[in-house]
Amino acid sequence: MALIVDKTTTGREYKVKDMSQADFGRLELELAEVEMPGLISCRTEFGPSQPFKGARITGSLHMTIQTAVLIETLTALGAEVRWCSCNIFSTQDHAAAAIARDSAAVFAWKGETLQEYWWCTERALDWGPGGGPDLIVDDGGDATLLIHEGVKAEEEYEKTDNAEFQIVLTIIRDGLKGDPKKYHKMKERLVGVSEETTTGVKRLYQMQANGTLLFPAINVNDSVTKSKFDNLYGCRHSLPDGLMRATDVMIAGKVAVICGYGDVGKGCAAAMKQAGARVIVTEIDPICALQALMEGLQVLTLEDVVSEADIFCTTTGNKDIIMVDHMRKMKNNAIVCNIGHFDNEIDMHGLETFPGVKRITIKPQTDRWVFPDTKSGVIVLAEGRLMNLGCATGHPSFVMSCSFTNQVIAQLELWNERSSGKYEKKVYVLPKHLDEKVAALHLGKLGAKLTKLTKDQSDYISIPVEGPYKPAHYRY
Amino acid sequence: MALIVDKTTTGREYKVKDMSQADFGRLELELAEVEMPGLISCRTEFGPSQPFKGARITGSLHMTIQTAVLIETLTALGAEVRWCSCNIFSTQDHAAAAIARDSAAVFAWKGETLQEYWWCTERALDWGPGGGPDLIVDDGGDATLLIHEGVKAEEEYEKTDNAEFQIVLTIIRDGLKGDPKKYHKMKERLVGVSEETTTGVKRLYQMQANGTLLFPAINVNDSVTKSKFDNLYGCRHSLPDGLMRATDVMIAGKVAVICGYGDVGKGCAAAMKQAGARVIVTEIDPICALQALMEGLQVLTLEDVVSEADIFCTTTGNKDIIMVDHMRKMKNNAIVCNIGHFDNEIDMHGLETFPGVKRITIKPQTDRWVFPDTKSGVIVLAEGRLMNLGCATGHPSFVMSCSFTNQVIAQLELWNERSSGKYEKKVYVLPKHLDEKVAALHLGKLGAKLTKLTKDQSDYISIPVEGPYKPAHYRY
Amino acid sequence: MALIVDKTTTGREYKVKDMSQADFGRLELELAEVEMPGLISCRTEFGPSQPFKGARITGSLHMTIQTAVLIETLTALGAEVRWCSCNIFSTQDHAAAAIARDSAAVFAWKGETLQEYWWCTERALDWGPGGGPDLIVDDGGDATLLIHEGVKAEEEYEKTDNAEFQIVLTIIRDGLKGDPKKYHKMKERLVGVSEETTTGVKRLYQMQANGTLLFPAINVNDSVTKSKFDNLYGCRHSLPDGLMRATDVMIAGKVAVICGYGDVGKGCAAAMKQAGARVIVTEIDPICALQALMEGLQVLTLEDVVSEADIFCTTTGNKDIIMVDHMRKMKNNAIVCNIGHFDNEIDMHGLETFPGVKRITIKPQTDRWVFPDTKSGVIVLAEGRLMNLGCATGHPSFVMSCSFTNQVIAQLELWNERSSGKYEKKVYVLPKHLDEKVAALHLGKLGAKLTKLTKDQSDYISIPVEGPYKPAHYRY
Amino acid sequence: MALIVDKTTTGREYKVKDMSQADFGRLELELAEVEMPGLISCRTEFGPSQPFKGARITGSLHMTIQTAVLIETLTALGAEVRWCSCNIFSTQDHAAAAIARDSAAVFAWKGETLQEYWWCTERALDWGPGGGPDLIVDDGGDATLLIHEGVKAEEEYEKTDNAEFQIVLTIIRDGLKGDPKKYHKMKERLVGVSEETTTGVKRLYQMQANGTLLFPAINVNDSVTKSKFDNLYGCRHSLPDGLMRATDVMIAGKVAVICGYGDVGKGCAAAMKQAGARVIVTEIDPICALQALMEGLQVLTLEDVVSEADIFCTTTGNKDIIMVDHMRKMKNNAIVCNIGHFDNEIDMHGLETFPGVKRITIKPQTDRWVFPDTKSGVIVLAEGRLMNLGCATGHPSFVMSCSFTNQVIAQLELWNERSSGKYEKKVYVLPKHLDEKVAALHLGKLGAKLTKLTKDQSDYISIPVEGPYKPAHYRY
């Protein structure tokens, strides 16, 4: 796509695939609202006081239907919003169209190139001459990264062999031609960021440890109502969804290897087991390995099982998990996918550059790669990127309502405390009573009724009647 | 679509949606072959002797990728084939295109009108002046029905209020203008039919009981490797698949009502339970009800739960299960779908004619129907027809390989015995040793190893070393 | 125990372990009654008319608390009853005491020798000079066997190497000294037998095939409400129960091998999987093997896994499944048990006679057998006999209520039709409407509500409103 | 039992039920050792250096077979040990006998009165004139409590209405007659305590907060390998075990109410669901409630379901959960039990003092309580105390090996650092690398193989190759 910004009749900027899908997007958005009670409650509770009045929010987060409900919650609370996706395949084009038409500046489409991806990120951060956003909603940390790298842009960096990262530098360099203080201005204005996912949070803690973090950050990922819900139950839903849409393969009877048994891996393993697969887990952490065993799963190394399994899914958050040499040993038409992190969990580079390898695209996001010697092929989903977003529609609305309600609450907290000095240039988690509130907002939809502590019981266990109910270290 | 028959360059007739999808269909067909070891084994075992040489086979069965592998197995064994779908929404257009281009005469597309549907059925049965097919592969019994009704066409029928059935009569009447003995000729030529599903089998047994069955029939549905696999494990896979593609709704935490707890209902209930829903079953049969209870499911009537459940799925094979009055009492955006039988399990007629009701099509096969008084809506999938075929791609290849291997074996049996008098105008099931063979053909793909009886053990339990291993009444 | 018959103050004969346990037995009996709605309904429905008035019933069936409720249902309907157990370890002594004191002649205790076992069986069949019983309730067929062998006793038998069978012959020979026509008289009087279990039923069908069956038999085992409930759900409950009581071993994380995947094996595999074990199945039948695969279980041969598994359980109904050579290759303290059939599923003879083997009795029914060379041992439960009865208390009351209500109905049917000629010397199953009735009697206790067919629906599917709802071949 | 201390031939003190069960205990102990690889590894790794040489350890922890392996691990490392149980019903008398005969001073038997219980605790703490123990292994905190209360004994306490607590005061008073500085001496000598369970840990944190904690404490309960294993998987195993041994009731088909959905509640709910029950959860915490919903469980209040459920189990750690007024509304023979905390989760006092209530003891630990007006009864297990220990044998060896390996490591840490000043009078948790070590010691037994990070991967995610692998706040 030509990288030219479009404008709505009201003058709002956007760049999406097909504006004619806006009506379809609106219909699905309306369905999603019914499934996202936490966000709708935020509109009801906070909308009247317009707490985000005057706030500019930039989001870098999969531009899906669920995110659309988040965006319109932010705008319902008074914010102005600019948005991009945090993954080249994760945008739902009808969602992007509906938001671009009705609510916020969107720069996102399904199937961006890496150049396009960073262009979109840069567009979402660019609020014009007056500087950047007040707040960032981040997922994976790319918006945050761009600002931090921008600020460092005058310095000499050492050569990097990360192809994707080179693009960031180019984007920054081009921007600096226009305003050599662009990112410094952005940094000055920024109140803070709320970060959504494990990988982005890890980056933030590293910056905090290095003393390079430029603004306060709220780690939304480690809210219980995020990591133990979205990561776990979201993936339990969306892994089979992605597998079925991409390949129609029968899961029952197959051997599925789940690499990593963290929250995401637990959700994936549960989904595969429940669908009738035999599940084998690979792990580096003995505690997680022992958890897998207690659920009846086998724990082995990838090498042990590479030639007998049918489905391989990475969830580790690390790189170099499934290498091209593994793929060469797999059964014909073994399925290889990633639901954890970046596309480097799978050795896509090794696969793409393997001499004589042949790529047969069955349909978008579903490729069969055939090795020249064996004529045997593996089926790689979403080019090694997040398969639930590339091949299906990501996590369902209800669980995303939990995650996004945390986001809204974190954004409110940062904004309300922008002048109080409460938050330093550190990483924070939300207090437990807000975590519990997020959960409470989702119970009614599912017909649940909570029990109330009596005063006497409250005294007996020294826990307030209204909570919080657990100590900080509680693991759920 | 204009109902004009197209022809390939080799002169084979067809009518499909889009021939340019043939390459895509071929790629998915090749993937499916790897998942359908039973059919591929038939090609290996029987292909060289060309047992179907000279046989004309008409099929009326969902024109999916899996069916395409069945069709090409029949042609690999020497048959000529003409095909239509047995459901207006179940055709996968790329599958139809690939077969039309490469292998057989196909008349099918996704989204036929009822008129088009019966036109296609009639085309599939019409082999030109020389009469009809030698064999029928049927699913639901519509090809068989058309012949039986055709034969009866001179008689006066009583008035019927079944809208769909009127179309059959019109089709027949039009055909009779060309050849007033058309269906009698067809009947004369026909060697037999093999029938795939519960509803069609029920029709056959009724015709047998009435003495009106015109040719032998093999009930493939009641092979164990069909009813206890396709119906059970197929639906366990394809119900959540359809729900997710159509609505993206989170299943975990929801209340799902499964109407009927036969093989299909058992698969559906298992799928919903495993996905984290709370499942309530409705049943008329106390034995099936007690089975549901033993699995921890609640057994209630639809009236008891209509206003508190989120997902309703019919699997009964009966009519009038979910009526418009039920739908009016449901929660806003409750999902209503059918995976059992015809669209009359759900009161589509009552819904469509409800005064003031508004239909909002979210996307094809996903409609929100809003009642005028409450402004509350229900989401109906696939217009009340089989949602796994309308909203997803039907059952996965592996389990269909079991069903279709039964079909191939049944067709071979009918054809090989066409002159022996072995089969009268009755309904037969395949002998157990063939049923066991179908299963055996599918074990290797899944890495299983069977234990062998010793001679001594065989004597002890009076079961042959090579099987069959179970008495006829065994329930598995 | 000295084999001397005791008498109650009212003159009824018995031989039990400890009459002082009668009160305890009565208390547990009263608990069980609440869990056995089918039997209690029989008392309510049939008790007033005393249909068994004048009938003598002999039972050979595990003398447990649940059986006690069966016995008192038979007596509540007017029968006189004599009872023995059908397994040397399965008697619950407090149940035997309560019945002996209050209701019927009982000859049973936990831990009988084989001599004592057959003595008890003979006592239960001996109604004094006037001949034997009118009806037999049988489980495994030993009471039926004794009569058949008795009738053959004048003939010359070929030598048998079955140690247990020699005892039968001795018992018979001793009896013949008193009355050389004893078993012929018994045969003359006998109205019929209802048989409870797979093994006994197999014997009956063999006798029917050989033309040697001496009286009518009703196969209760193949009632759906028996084989698909007691065998499946009963074992799902009682396998872990037996394992836990005998060994306290943690099941989670272990590898469990289930030999055989029939109804019993399905229940056992489900139980082990649910408890967190990794389950491997061995099978001879490809259909059952494919069912196991669809549930995510691995199917291999015993040889493949003998050295890596922790728990082995036989459910085959065949002999020579786990041989002493297998046991020598197992891990130290591997658990070996049988829940299927006789103790010959496990090669107890080979184990007992293995040179240098050492038996260490941990507690009754839990033995560690140590091989002399490896010093490694296996733990064998219940001496290879049914471990759920030997190490725990058998199946729970609720599921036995299903089985035993079938027994009562079968006994009533035989008795009511004793003069009508309806039943020949063949094996019969109960008609489906009675099977459905048994299920229906158990729904209320679990809070279930059935849906009723409308007349219109009934016509549509040609099934009576009141059932039966399924064809005979239906598999559930 | 008369409270007179016995002595072995070697002069070691003890008080147990029946010394003749020592051989039986030893056999079961040997079985358990095979299942407890963590403890055996400690013996192998630390035994040679005798790190506990000179250390006196007092334990107050359920005197079961598993605890016996813990005790003999402590003695194998050089400690002298005195032991009592921390629950009046939890002792396994054969385990106590084996330890008393062979290894340590034991004061424990199944079915102690409260007087006896505290006498045993006092005996275990009394090491003669030279003061008390160096270290305490505690479960529930009663040994720690006794010392703290002892130290306070000169002060005037306010009147308490806790019947059990009065006994503590009496015990202390009696002891003070002999040595008025007894507890001060004990306190002086004590190096520290390691505490096993939630309730005891809560007491410790309260004392820390109040500044009244007299010595360092290690909170073993919150090791991941304790709370997420013993509490969760242990209860998943032992709840059904206790139910089956106590009542033989069929769990399938029943409605089970689990009060509380923490780690214990999660294990209990999973066990009931897997056994085929329909599970309803009560919760005060919205996050835990939402977790239950995601697993398909219903969340309601006790009042909503009290009259329709069959099994009630408390796991809250709070008091007054099931009151006598609830029990009066339950179905006849509803089962009421506690697996969480003290017997005050169930209103035993209200039940015992209800006018006209009748207690019928079916067998020890299984009582039917009948209300006078309705003649309806509830079955209360283990008199409201921990039913898995009262009615079964507690958690299985393997999971206890995880917990107890934490105990051994904590004891080693306290002892090794006794002079270093590392530990103040505060509550500590074990560092993560030790937690991971405990897990690692249990993998081999289950056949698992860990994956190793490469150096490159380790750098990429900034996690050492050898771990620890997770941040402190990780929830598993």
Side-chain angles (χ1 to χ4, degrees), chain C residues 183-191:
Chain C
Y183 288 101
H184 278 82
K185 287 182 195 160
M186 240 182 239
K187 175 196 83 164
E188 291 312 313
R189 180 176 182 113
L190 248 178
V191 168

Side-chain angles (χ1 to χ4, degrees), chain A residues 57-73:
Chain A
I57 301 179
T58 288
S60 165
L61 199 158
H62 314 289
M63 183 59 247
T64 62
I65 289 291
Q66 291 75 33
T67 300
V69 184
L70 167 61
I71 292 170
E72 295 196 338
T73 302

